[in-house]
Amino acid sequence: MKELMRPEISDDWGIKKLQNCILNIAQYIDEFCVENDIDYCLMGGSALGAVRHNGFIPWDDDLDVFMTPDNYEKFRTAFRDKGDKENYYLQELGAANGMVTTAKVRLNKSTYIEDITKDWDIHQGVFVDIFILHTCPDNTIKRYWQYFWAKYLIVKGLANKVYERRGGAMNTVVKMFKLLPKRFLLSYGLKQVYRFRNDNTEYLCNFLGKALMKNGRYKSAYFATTKRHQFETIELNVVGQVEDFLKERFGDYMKLPDISRIRYEQHALEWDVEKPFKPIKEGIYADEKYLF
């Protein structure tokens, strides 16, 4: 594994080795995309890290990219045909009829355990997340329809796992969803999220995530182009209007968050960049059974 982190960066959070592993995966994705004429860009906190820190946010233990449906499908086809499957695994969660809720490129022979997936019989190696950047309809009713089905898929994913941490109305809804078959309306719900993909609209969106409608919707103009930006010792893609994107997403994005938020933003329960994860069923992954 190449050393891609800046040597002068301190390891105050004890995750620099993990970040370096993630960055190696990101470099592979970047080079593979360049080779196959596929566009992508850093999203969320990864884009924020690129601009504010010229690399990882110091305490960040993951890296996320956006791809449009067309670019992701091109990536999937190319990876299946000629990807480095000896070292990497393309994981699709909530897959149905060529659509996905989300995807990850996992490093084989490594471990990254998240709370939400710790009991699932899936590949659990160190990863880079691929989120699908969908077209968001200009029509208000259609937009809320798309948003509803995206959040339906998220709640159904929580229900498919033993999820008991929230009380009140959410806990009640999750318990009700547990009574439904695991893949109930998955394909239909994904179709409603994907259905506007060929429209020319003012906004794009990522409703299949934590963000609510306001923070999960972005002006299409921001994504008209991508450009290279320093990320540790390499360069990765960010959106052409990255400063505008970050301002809309985070407000004063150069301001560091309160220390109490940092652990909330981390994902790993445990990790190891050298030892393989131990799947529940050795060599058999059931990714398609799960939404998230």
Side-chain angles (χ1 to χ4, degrees):
M1 187 177 301
K2 293 176 286 187
E3 182 55 55
L4 300 178
M5 297 293 290
R6 289 168 288 173
E8 69 271 18
I9 298 297
S10 61
D11 192 15
D12 295 339
W13 295 89
I15 57 173
K16 190 173 180 179
K17 192 173 183 179
L18 173 61
Q19 290 173 330
N20 185 66
C21 181
I22 294 170
L23 194 53
N24 272 263
I25 303 172
Q27 184 182 53
Y28 170 75
I29 294 172
D30 176 72
E31 292 175 348
F32 190 79
C33 285
V34 170
E35 177 186 336
N36 292 280
D37 192 27
I38 297 166
D39 204 10
Y40 79 92
C41 62
L42 296 176
M43 65 164 283
S46 299
L48 175 59
V51 173
R52 193 170 70 193
H53 302 275
N54 284 325
F56 283 101
I57 295 173
W59 51 86
D60 206 356
D61 60 358
D62 74 341
L63 189 144
D64 306 322
V65 305
F66 272 142
M67 291 185 190
T68 63
D70 287 349
N71 278 292
Y72 176 70
E73 289 162 13
K74 190 174 181 180
F75 178 86
R76 174 174 57 200
T77 298
F79 185 85
R80 288 177 176 175
D81 180 45
K82 53 187 175 181
D84 181 5
K85 300 178 190 66
E86 180 178 352
N87 290 304
Y88 300 102
Y89 176 76
L90 179 58
Q91 181 176 69
E92 297 184 322
L93 298 175
N97 300 321
M99 302 172 291
V100 298
T101 54
T102 188
K104 299 174 185 285
V105 176
R106 299 264 194 182
L107 179 67
N108 295 332
K109 300 178 182 178
S110 67
T111 299
Y112 188 110
I113 306 297
E114 297 177 275
D115 180 61
I116 194 70
T117 60
K118 63 183 179 182
D119 299 321
W120 293 359
D121 54 332
I122 62 174
H123 192 306
Q124 302 216 40
V126 180
F127 64 87
V128 166
D129 265 317
I130 301 175
F131 289 90
I132 310 302
L133 186 64
H134 293 282
T135 302
C136 185
D138 292 330
N139 179 276
T140 302
I141 295 175
K142 291 180 179 178
R143 187 185 315 136
Y144 275 94
W145 179 257
Q146 181 189 47
Y147 181 81
F148 167 81
W149 282 105
K151 296 310 179 185
Y152 166 85
L153 294 171
I154 291 175
V155 177
K156 189 67 185 79
L158 294 175
N160 285 354
K161 182 186 179 295
V162 179
Y163 184 80
E164 304 291 350
R165 290 181 296 175
R166 294 187 184 182
M170 174 57 77
N171 194 46
T172 300
V173 171
V174 169
K175 286 182 178 179
M176 291 173 59
F177 274 45
K178 287 181 184 292
L179 302 176
L180 301 174
K182 280 192 172 183
R183 294 177 63 84
F184 185 70
L185 293 179
L186 168 61
S187 181
Y188 181 80
L190 278 171
K191 285 180 182 178
Q192 307 317 303
V193 176
Y194 272 78
R195 65 180 291 186
F196 309 102
R197 62 185 294 178
N198 295 320
D199 294 355
N200 183 17
T201 65
E202 185 179 0
Y203 287 92
L204 300 173
C205 63
N206 174 38
F207 294 154
L208 283 168
K210 295 186 296 184
L212 299 178
M213 182 177 289
K214 180 181 179 181
N215 288 332
R217 194 169 62 125
Y218 322 110
K219 291 182 180 178
S220 301
Y222 298 161
F223 296 83
T225 60
T226 56
K227 62 183 180 182
R228 306 294 281 176
H229 198 290
Q230 180 184 344
F231 199 96
E232 302 299 341
T233 63
I234 66 173
E235 290 187 341
L236 298 172
N237 284 0
V238 297
V239 298
Q241 298 183 39
V242 66
E243 291 83 6
D244 293 329
F245 165 69
L246 291 175
K247 184 176 181 180
E248 184 171 294
R249 179 68 179 83
F250 298 105
D252 183 5
Y253 60 86
M254 295 302 290
K255 181 180 178 181
L256 294 176
D258 187 271
I259 194 72
S260 63
R261 288 282 305 171
I262 291 177
R263 289 301 178 191
Y264 175 79
E265 298 296 338
Q266 294 181 323
H267 301 80
L269 290 180
E270 60 178 282
W271 56 270
D272 194 310
V273 302
E274 298 172 341
K275 296 181 180 178
F277 60 94
K278 296 180 180 179
I280 295 173
K281 299 176 182 177
E282 188 67 36
I284 300 174
Y285 310 126
D287 305 337
E288 72 282 354
K289 295 196 316 184
Y290 301 101
L291 304 187
F292 287 93

PDB file of all heavy atoms in Angstrom, residues 54-73:
ATOM      1  N   ASN A  54      -7.192  20.631   2.541  1.00  0.00           N
ATOM      2  CA  ASN A  54      -6.404  20.041   1.447  1.00  0.00           C
ATOM      3  C   ASN A  54      -6.217  18.539   1.637  1.00  0.00           C
ATOM      4  O   ASN A  54      -5.180  17.968   1.297  1.00  0.00           O
ATOM      5  CB  ASN A  54      -5.045  20.730   1.298  1.00  0.00           C
ATOM      6  CG  ASN A  54      -5.159  22.091   0.630  1.00  0.00           C
ATOM      7  OD1 ASN A  54      -5.993  22.278  -0.257  1.00  0.00           O
ATOM      8  ND2 ASN A  54      -4.353  23.035   1.062  1.00  0.00           N
ATOM      9  N   GLY A  55      -7.216  17.908   2.208  1.00  0.00           N
ATOM     10  CA  GLY A  55      -7.175  16.466   2.449  1.00  0.00           C
ATOM     11  C   GLY A  55      -8.304  16.080   3.377  1.00  0.00           C
ATOM     12  O   GLY A  55      -9.362  16.712   3.391  1.00  0.00           O
ATOM     13  N   PHE A  56      -8.088  15.054   4.151  1.00  0.00           N
ATOM     14  CA  PHE A  56      -9.106  14.609   5.099  1.00  0.00           C
ATOM     15  C   PHE A  56      -9.362  15.667   6.168  1.00  0.00           C
ATOM     16  O   PHE A  56      -8.426  16.333   6.645  1.00  0.00           O
ATOM     17  CB  PHE A  56      -8.664  13.327   5.810  1.00  0.00           C
ATOM     18  CG  PHE A  56      -8.789  12.078   4.996  1.00  0.00           C
ATOM     19  CD1 PHE A  56      -7.672  11.532   4.382  1.00  0.00           C
ATOM     20  CD2 PHE A  56     -10.015  11.441   4.847  1.00  0.00           C
ATOM     21  CE1 PHE A  56      -7.768  10.368   3.636  1.00  0.00           C
ATOM     22  CE2 PHE A  56     -10.128  10.283   4.108  1.00  0.00           C
ATOM     23  CZ  PHE A  56      -9.002   9.743   3.490  1.00  0.00           C
ATOM     24  N   ILE A  57     -10.608  15.819   6.579  1.00  0.00           N
ATOM     25  CA  ILE A  57     -10.872  16.445   7.858  1.00  0.00           C
ATOM     26  C   ILE A  57     -10.145  15.582   8.883  1.00  0.00           C
ATOM     27  O   ILE A  57     -10.257  14.350   8.849  1.00  0.00           O
ATOM     28  CB  ILE A  57     -12.391  16.488   8.130  1.00  0.00           C
ATOM     29  CG1 ILE A  57     -13.086  17.388   7.106  1.00  0.00           C
ATOM     30  CG2 ILE A  57     -12.663  16.980   9.546  1.00  0.00           C
ATOM     31  CD1 ILE A  57     -14.599  17.365   7.183  1.00  0.00           C
ATOM     32  N   PRO A  58      -9.358  16.145   9.776  1.00  0.00           N
ATOM     33  CA  PRO A  58      -8.451  15.333  10.611  1.00  0.00           C
ATOM     34  C   PRO A  58      -9.089  14.158  11.327  1.00  0.00           C
ATOM     35  O   PRO A  58      -8.442  13.125  11.523  1.00  0.00           O
ATOM     36  CB  PRO A  58      -7.896  16.359  11.606  1.00  0.00           C
ATOM     37  CG  PRO A  58      -7.940  17.653  10.874  1.00  0.00           C
ATOM     38  CD  PRO A  58      -9.180  17.592  10.021  1.00  0.00           C
ATOM     39  N   TRP A  59     -10.346  14.263  11.723  1.00  0.00           N
ATOM     40  CA  TRP A  59     -11.012  13.189  12.462  1.00  0.00           C
ATOM     41  C   TRP A  59     -11.918  12.338  11.582  1.00  0.00           C
ATOM     42  O   TRP A  59     -12.607  11.461  12.074  1.00  0.00           O
ATOM     43  CB  TRP A  59     -11.833  13.791  13.604  1.00  0.00           C
ATOM     44  CG  TRP A  59     -12.740  14.907  13.138  1.00  0.00           C
ATOM     45  CD1 TRP A  59     -13.994  14.783  12.617  1.00  0.00           C
ATOM     46  CD2 TRP A  59     -12.434  16.298  13.136  1.00  0.00           C
ATOM     47  NE1 TRP A  59     -14.491  16.017  12.275  1.00  0.00           N
ATOM     48  CE2 TRP A  59     -13.550  16.973  12.596  1.00  0.00           C
ATOM     49  CE3 TRP A  59     -11.316  17.051  13.549  1.00  0.00           C
ATOM     50  CZ2 TRP A  59     -13.596  18.362  12.450  1.00  0.00           C
ATOM     51  CZ3 TRP A  59     -11.365  18.422  13.390  1.00  0.00           C
ATOM     52  CH2 TRP A  59     -12.482  19.070  12.856  1.00  0.00           C
ATOM     53  N   ASP A  60     -11.920  12.580  10.274  1.00  0.00           N
ATOM     54  CA  ASP A  60     -12.842  11.884   9.376  1.00  0.00           C
ATOM     55  C   ASP A  60     -12.311  10.492   9.044  1.00  0.00           C
ATOM     56  O   ASP A  60     -11.153  10.344   8.639  1.00  0.00           O
ATOM     57  CB  ASP A  60     -13.038  12.694   8.100  1.00  0.00           C
ATOM     58  CG  ASP A  60     -14.367  12.409   7.424  1.00  0.00           C
ATOM     59  OD1 ASP A  60     -15.104  11.526   7.915  1.00  0.00           O
ATOM     60  OD2 ASP A  60     -14.683  13.062   6.419  1.00  0.00           O
ATOM     61  N   ASP A  61     -13.158   9.493   9.184  1.00  0.00           N
ATOM     62  CA  ASP A  61     -12.730   8.114   8.951  1.00  0.00           C
ATOM     63  C   ASP A  61     -13.427   7.478   7.757  1.00  0.00           C
ATOM     64  O   ASP A  61     -13.559   6.259   7.673  1.00  0.00           O
ATOM     65  CB  ASP A  61     -12.938   7.255  10.208  1.00  0.00           C
ATOM     66  CG  ASP A  61     -14.402   7.191  10.654  1.00  0.00           C
ATOM     67  OD1 ASP A  61     -15.259   7.841  10.031  1.00  0.00           O
ATOM     68  OD2 ASP A  61     -14.685   6.476  11.635  1.00  0.00           O
ATOM     69  N   ASP A  62     -13.905   8.308   6.818  1.00  0.00           N
ATOM     70  CA  ASP A  62     -14.441   7.763   5.574  1.00  0.00           C
ATOM     71  C   ASP A  62     -14.269   8.785   4.460  1.00  0.00           C
ATOM     72  O   ASP A  62     -13.835   9.914   4.688  1.00  0.00           O
ATOM     73  CB  ASP A  62     -15.901   7.336   5.726  1.00  0.00           C
ATOM     74  CG  ASP A  62     -16.862   8.519   5.794  1.00  0.00           C
ATOM     75  OD1 ASP A  62     -16.413   9.648   6.084  1.00  0.00           O
ATOM     76  OD2 ASP A  62     -18.068   8.310   5.566  1.00  0.00           O
ATOM     77  N   LEU A  63     -14.575   8.366   3.233  1.00  0.00           N
ATOM     78  CA  LEU A  63     -14.503   9.248   2.078  1.00  0.00           C
ATOM     79  C   LEU A  63     -15.670   8.914   1.163  1.00  0.00           C
ATOM     80  O   LEU A  63     -15.942   7.735   0.892  1.00  0.00           O
ATOM     81  CB  LEU A  63     -13.166   9.091   1.356  1.00  0.00           C
ATOM     82  CG  LEU A  63     -12.859  10.106   0.244  1.00  0.00           C
ATOM     83  CD1 LEU A  63     -11.365  10.448   0.217  1.00  0.00           C
ATOM     84  CD2 LEU A  63     -13.297   9.592  -1.121  1.00  0.00           C
ATOM     85  N   ASP A  64     -16.365   9.960   0.683  1.00  0.00           N
ATOM     86  CA  ASP A  64     -17.582   9.790  -0.101  1.00  0.00           C
ATOM     87  C   ASP A  64     -17.452  10.478  -1.447  1.00  0.00           C
ATOM     88  O   ASP A  64     -16.920  11.589  -1.536  1.00  0.00           O
ATOM     89  CB  ASP A  64     -18.793  10.395   0.631  1.00  0.00           C
ATOM     90  CG  ASP A  64     -18.957   9.859   2.037  1.00  0.00           C
ATOM     91  OD1 ASP A  64     -18.718   8.660   2.237  1.00  0.00           O
ATOM     92  OD2 ASP A  64     -19.331  10.637   2.933  1.00  0.00           O
ATOM     93  N   VAL A  65     -17.982   9.828  -2.483  1.00  0.00           N
ATOM     94  CA  VAL A  65     -18.026  10.445  -3.806  1.00  0.00           C
ATOM     95  C   VAL A  65     -19.441  10.377  -4.356  1.00  0.00           C
ATOM     96  O   VAL A  65     -20.239   9.514  -3.979  1.00  0.00           O
ATOM     97  CB  VAL A  65     -17.045   9.791  -4.802  1.00  0.00           C
ATOM     98  CG1 VAL A  65     -15.621   9.805  -4.247  1.00  0.00           C
ATOM     99  CG2 VAL A  65     -17.465   8.375  -5.160  1.00  0.00           C
ATOM    100  N   PHE A  66     -19.731  11.321  -5.254  1.00  0.00           N
ATOM    101  CA  PHE A  66     -20.968  11.328  -6.027  1.00  0.00           C
ATOM    102  C   PHE A  66     -20.698  10.806  -7.422  1.00  0.00           C
ATOM    103  O   PHE A  66     -19.667  11.118  -8.032  1.00  0.00           O
ATOM    104  CB  PHE A  66     -21.487  12.766  -6.189  1.00  0.00           C
ATOM    105  CG  PHE A  66     -22.379  13.272  -5.095  1.00  0.00           C
ATOM    106  CD1 PHE A  66     -22.285  14.583  -4.674  1.00  0.00           C
ATOM    107  CD2 PHE A  66     -23.351  12.458  -4.516  1.00  0.00           C
ATOM    108  CE1 PHE A  66     -23.119  15.087  -3.690  1.00  0.00           C
ATOM    109  CE2 PHE A  66     -24.175  12.947  -3.520  1.00  0.00           C
ATOM    110  CZ  PHE A  66     -24.068  14.259  -3.108  1.00  0.00           C
ATOM    111  N   MET A  67     -21.661  10.040  -7.949  1.00  0.00           N
ATOM    112  CA  MET A  67     -21.731   9.742  -9.376  1.00  0.00           C
ATOM    113  C   MET A  67     -23.180   9.862  -9.799  1.00  0.00           C
ATOM    114  O   MET A  67     -24.084   9.493  -9.040  1.00  0.00           O
ATOM    115  CB  MET A  67     -21.229   8.327  -9.694  1.00  0.00           C
ATOM    116  CG  MET A  67     -19.750   8.094  -9.521  1.00  0.00           C
ATOM    117  SD  MET A  67     -19.286   6.422 -10.082  1.00  0.00           S
ATOM    118  CE  MET A  67     -17.603   6.337  -9.488  1.00  0.00           C
ATOM    119  N   THR A  68     -23.420  10.384 -10.983  1.00  0.00           N
ATOM    120  CA  THR A  68     -24.773  10.370 -11.527  1.00  0.00           C
ATOM    121  C   THR A  68     -25.133   8.933 -11.891  1.00  0.00           C
ATOM    122  O   THR A  68     -24.250   8.073 -12.015  1.00  0.00           O
ATOM    123  CB  THR A  68     -24.873  11.241 -12.779  1.00  0.00           C
ATOM    124  OG1 THR A  68     -24.018  10.688 -13.789  1.00  0.00           O
ATOM    125  CG2 THR A  68     -24.467  12.687 -12.477  1.00  0.00           C
ATOM    126  N   PRO A  69     -26.423   8.625 -12.084  1.00  0.00           N
ATOM    127  CA  PRO A  69     -26.792   7.261 -12.490  1.00  0.00           C
ATOM    128  C   PRO A  69     -26.039   6.788 -13.733  1.00  0.00           C
ATOM    129  O   PRO A  69     -25.560   5.649 -13.776  1.00  0.00           O
ATOM    130  CB  PRO A  69     -28.298   7.370 -12.745  1.00  0.00           C
ATOM    131  CG  PRO A  69     -28.752   8.443 -11.818  1.00  0.00           C
ATOM    132  CD  PRO A  69     -27.631   9.446 -11.823  1.00  0.00           C
ATOM    133  N   ASP A  70     -25.912   7.650 -14.746  1.00  0.00           N
ATOM    134  CA  ASP A  70     -25.216   7.246 -15.967  1.00  0.00           C
ATOM    135  C   ASP A  70     -23.757   6.917 -15.686  1.00  0.00           C
ATOM    136  O   ASP A  70     -23.230   5.907 -16.177  1.00  0.00           O
ATOM    137  CB  ASP A  70     -25.298   8.356 -17.015  1.00  0.00           C
ATOM    138  CG  ASP A  70     -26.683   8.479 -17.633  1.00  0.00           C
ATOM    139  OD1 ASP A  70     -27.527   7.579 -17.409  1.00  0.00           O
ATOM    140  OD2 ASP A  70     -26.926   9.480 -18.337  1.00  0.00           O
ATOM    141  N   ASN A  71     -23.094   7.760 -14.906  1.00  0.00           N
ATOM    142  CA  ASN A  71     -21.678   7.514 -14.620  1.00  0.00           C
ATOM    143  C   ASN A  71     -21.497   6.298 -13.734  1.00  0.00           C
ATOM    144  O   ASN A  71     -20.541   5.525 -13.918  1.00  0.00           O
ATOM    145  CB  ASN A  71     -21.050   8.751 -13.974  1.00  0.00           C
ATOM    146  CG  ASN A  71     -20.650   9.795 -14.993  1.00  0.00           C
ATOM    147  OD1 ASN A  71     -19.730   9.591 -15.787  1.00  0.00           O
ATOM    148  ND2 ASN A  71     -21.349  10.925 -14.999  1.00  0.00           N
ATOM    149  N   TYR A  72     -22.404   6.102 -12.755  1.00  0.00           N
ATOM    150  CA  TYR A  72     -22.259   4.919 -11.912  1.00  0.00           C
ATOM    151  C   TYR A  72     -22.456   3.644 -12.717  1.00  0.00           C
ATOM    152  O   TYR A  72     -21.700   2.673 -12.552  1.00  0.00           O
ATOM    153  CB  TYR A  72     -23.234   4.929 -10.738  1.00  0.00           C
ATOM    154  CG  TYR A  72     -23.105   3.627  -9.970  1.00  0.00           C
ATOM    155  CD1 TYR A  72     -21.963   3.377  -9.220  1.00  0.00           C
ATOM    156  CD2 TYR A  72     -24.051   2.613 -10.103  1.00  0.00           C
ATOM    157  CE1 TYR A  72     -21.775   2.158  -8.594  1.00  0.00           C
ATOM    158  CE2 TYR A  72     -23.875   1.396  -9.472  1.00  0.00           C
ATOM    159  CZ  TYR A  72     -22.732   1.174  -8.715  1.00  0.00           C
ATOM    160  OH  TYR A  72     -22.532  -0.042  -8.108  1.00  0.00           O
ATOM    161  N   GLU A  73     -23.451   3.616 -13.581  1.00  0.00           N
ATOM    162  CA  GLU A  73     -23.689   2.412 -14.375  1.00  0.00           C
ATOM    163  C   GLU A  73     -22.521   2.127 -15.306  1.00  0.00           C
ATOM    164  O   GLU A  73     -22.163   0.963 -15.537  1.00  0.00           O
ATOM    165  CB  GLU A  73     -25.009   2.562 -15.132  1.00  0.00           C
ATOM    166  CG  GLU A  73     -26.209   2.473 -14.190  1.00  0.00           C
ATOM    167  CD  GLU A  73     -27.496   3.025 -14.770  1.00  0.00           C
ATOM    168  OE1 GLU A  73     -27.543   3.271 -16.004  1.00  0.00           O
ATOM    169  OE2 GLU A  73     -28.452   3.214 -14.003  1.00  0.00           O
TER     170      GLU A  73
END
